[in-house]
Amino acid sequence: MTGPEIVLALAAGVLAVLLFRQLRQLGKLRRWASQPRLSDPPEAEGGWGEVFNLLHRHRRAMLKRRRELARLIVRSRRGAQALPYGVAVLDADYRLDWCNDATREHLGLDPERDRSQPIVNVVRAPEFVEYLRAGDFGEALRLHSPGNPRALALQIVSFGDEEHLLLSQDVTGVERVEAMRRDFVANVSHELRTPLTVLAGFLETIQDLKLDAGRVRDYVGLMAPQAERMKRLIDDLLTLSSLEHAPAPPNDERVALRPLLQRVRAESEALSGGKHRISLEAAVEYDLLGAESEISSAFVNLVSNAVRYTPAGGEIRLRWNSTDAGTEFSVEDTGIGIDPEHLPRLTERFYRVDRGRSRETGGTGLGLSIVKHALARHQATLTIDSTPGKGSRFTVRFPAARLAPARQKVEG
Ligand code: ADP
């Protein structure tokens, strides 16, 4: 071989070795890169080591980011699950992508079965279909599905790349409160309008007719009970309102029962005007902890009812009995009694068994509501036992936590 041939052969040999090495590194790279799990890069020489390290760092950062994203998705879904709303994710064509359990409950959606289904194929209520078609999502849609006692508020909120959230909320309770408020305002207006109409009528008569002083006095005498009725109603409304808004009654203030019970008895005797036999049996071993004015108002309402719904000659018994387990105050009468069908609704505002009788005796229809509220604020309960034509017993039970050993004793 000549000199140049030897040089060429050597150069070819070196190139072959270099090529072989590069191919070996490439092989290593392929094997390493195709491993599903991240492992340390293989040993490599020269520039390859740097490439491996760079790739390794890049892969590690990518895997970390992927793990973070997966965690974020899980967290967001957990967050969406925990919401007290139904949340469904819809794509640009309003097809279901995902929904939480509340949506399943509200709208019967199943995230697996209904995935990629147009939402209107699953929620078929015509109002909802129209809501989507109109595309004005500024306000929520109230939905009352036939056969479903639940009232729902549905709203579409758009986000990202023309994607949408369908939010649903159970508003059955809200609607009930709205209906109660409407009824309450209607009832109050009605209750006030009747005496006001009578008052206005008398005033007109006095103004238009030339009446002598005696007649005017007669008319004023007839007007006074109407004004008194309005005053009673407003007083009861204010009492109810303060019971609803006042801070919780104290649990470290003692209510001395001896004077309280005697006052309640005296009030019942004054109301009765001697027409009933009224007795008080009370061995007071405990005092009550709470707001005296509220407890007194509850007891006075109960005895006032007993007097008003018991014909003359009847009997009314007030009993106080306390043990370590709790304490009971009961008002028992031999009055007209209450039909069982009315018992569950008796403490509702303005609920009366006999409207005429209630009015005649100065009732506002709010007495037992006041009792219920005042007692609930003291964690006490009211039980009503009654037999029509025979009489009723209203029993108040206070929990042991509302008792403290009495400082005074009373026997009635
Ligand atoms: P009212 O002002 O009409 O008495 P309440 O809320 O105190 O209103 O009572 C509601 C209704 O419950 C009364 O209208 C009456 O029909 C009935 N009621 C309450 N207490 C008695 C009772 N002791 N005996 C018979 N009925 C009663």
Side-chain angles (χ1 to χ4, degrees):
M1 255 201 282
T2 62
E5 281 173 343
I6 291 171
V7 172
L8 257 177
L10 270 174
V14 169
L15 272 175
V17 169
L18 279 175
L19 190 62
F20 171 73
R21 276 188 174 175
Q22 300 304 318
L23 287 174
R24 210 177 58 187
Q25 296 300 336
L26 262 178
K28 273 190 198 171
L29 177 60
R30 191 182 312 117
R31 275 195 303 282
W32 174 65
S34 58
Q35 281 173 9
R37 293 178 67 92
L38 185 65
S39 58
D40 286 342
E43 287 291 319
E45 309 138 358
W48 281 102
E50 219 172 289
V51 171
F52 277 180
N53 281 338
L54 270 174
L55 280 174
H56 183 55
R57 236 176 293 149
H58 186 64
R59 269 187 85 189
R60 217 171 36 201
M62 223 173 65
L63 281 176
K64 191 170 162 221
R65 180 101 194 94
R66 198 189 297 164
R67 266 199 304 270
E68 274 170 10
L69 280 173
R71 252 201 311 269
L72 199 67
I73 290 174
V74 170
R75 264 186 79 197
S76 322
R77 292 207 165 165
R78 275 201 201 129
Q81 277 298 8
L83 282 173
Y85 304 104
V87 181
V89 181
L90 310 178
D91 67 12
D93 299 319
Y94 299 106
R95 288 169 188 275
L96 180 68
D97 190 22
W98 180 83
C99 68
N100 68 357
D101 287 349
T103 317
R104 186 193 291 250
E105 238 179 76
H106 291 165
L107 298 165
L109 292 185
D110 185 321
E112 301 303 324
R113 183 196 63 202
D114 300 325
R115 206 185 159 140
S116 303
Q117 284 283 330
I119 191 72
V120 287
N121 283 4
V122 196
V123 184
R124 290 165 182 266
E127 309 95 291
F128 179 66
V129 177
E130 177 53 28
Y131 177 69
L132 273 195
R133 198 202 55 74
D136 178 6
F137 305 136
E139 298 249 326
L141 167 78
R142 286 272 171 110
L143 195 67
H144 301 92
S145 314
N148 185 352
R150 224 180 259 216
L152 293 174
L154 302 184
Q155 189 158 22
I156 295 279
V157 177
S158 301
F159 72 101
D161 228 0
E162 284 195 52
E163 286 183 275
H164 311 281
L165 288 178
L166 168 61
L167 305 178
S168 58
Q169 191 184 2
D170 189 334
V171 289
T172 318
V174 178
E175 291 214 340
R176 201 178 309 126
V177 171
E178 283 169 2
M180 272 167 65
R181 192 173 305 139
R182 270 196 308 272
D183 286 354
F184 183 66
V185 171
N187 274 321
V188 171
S189 315
H190 179 77
E191 294 288 334
L192 284 173
R193 201 182 51 191
T194 317
L196 254 183
T197 311
V198 179
L199 278 178
F202 280 134
L203 280 174
E204 225 171 89
T205 314
I206 293 172
Q207 237 172 5
D208 293 352
L209 302 179
K210 290 213 169 356
L211 301 172
D212 59 56
R215 293 278 288 171
V216 170
R217 219 172 303 121
D218 289 348
Y219 275 114
V220 171
L222 291 169
M223 286 159 74
Q226 303 299 330
E228 182 53 36
R229 183 169 148 194
M230 287 168 69
K231 184 180 172 302
R232 265 198 314 272
L233 182 65
I234 288 166
D235 285 347
D236 276 0
L237 286 170
L238 288 174
T239 305
L240 256 185
S241 160
S242 85
L243 285 173
E244 277 176 354
H245 299 109
N251 56 11
D252 55 355
E253 257 173 48
R254 277 168 179 271
V255 178
L257 282 163
R258 182 191 170 93
L260 175 85
L261 289 172
Q262 280 169 348
R263 232 179 19 251
V264 170
R265 181 197 188 152
E267 281 208 36
S268 60
E269 270 164 354
L271 278 168
S272 158
K275 293 199 192 88
H276 306 90
R277 272 170 292 134
I278 300 175
S279 63
L280 167 67
E281 294 165 34
V284 180
E285 283 160 16
Y286 293 88
D287 280 348
L288 266 180
L289 300 173
E292 178 158 4
S293 60
E294 295 180 17
I295 292 166
S296 160
S297 161
F299 289 4
V300 167
N301 267 302
L302 290 178
V303 295
S304 145
N305 280 354
V307 169
R308 288 169 41 236
Y309 297 106
T310 301
E315 197 177 338
I316 295 165
R317 287 174 163 197
L318 317 182
R319 271 201 207 100
W320 179 271
N321 181 33
S322 45
T323 64
D324 289 342
T327 202
E328 272 184 17
F329 173 65
S330 65
V331 179
E332 197 173 339
D333 64 52
T334 54
I336 59 171
I338 305 154
D339 214 76
E341 71 181 71
H342 297 290
L343 293 181
R345 300 195 56 193
L346 231 47
T347 56
E348 283 176 25
R349 289 159 192 204
F350 295 113
Y351 189 87
R352 289 130 151 167
V353 175
D354 177 346
R355 197 166 276 270
R357 178 163 190 142
S358 159
R359 287 229 182 93
E360 269 165 38
T361 56
T364 59
L366 295 173
L368 289 180
S369 292
I370 292 175
V371 173
K372 186 178 95 173
H373 271 76
L375 297 183
R377 284 164 56 81
H378 290 81
Q379 297 75 46
T381 57
L382 176 70
T383 318
I384 310 170
D385 303 287
S386 190
T387 312
K390 290 219 156 131
S392 315
R393 186 171 62 230
F394 289 73
T395 309
V396 178
R397 288 192 181 86
F398 289 94
R402 285 277 174 193
L403 304 178
R407 291 179 180 152
Q408 297 161 309
K409 284 197 171 218
V410 61
E411 300 293 337

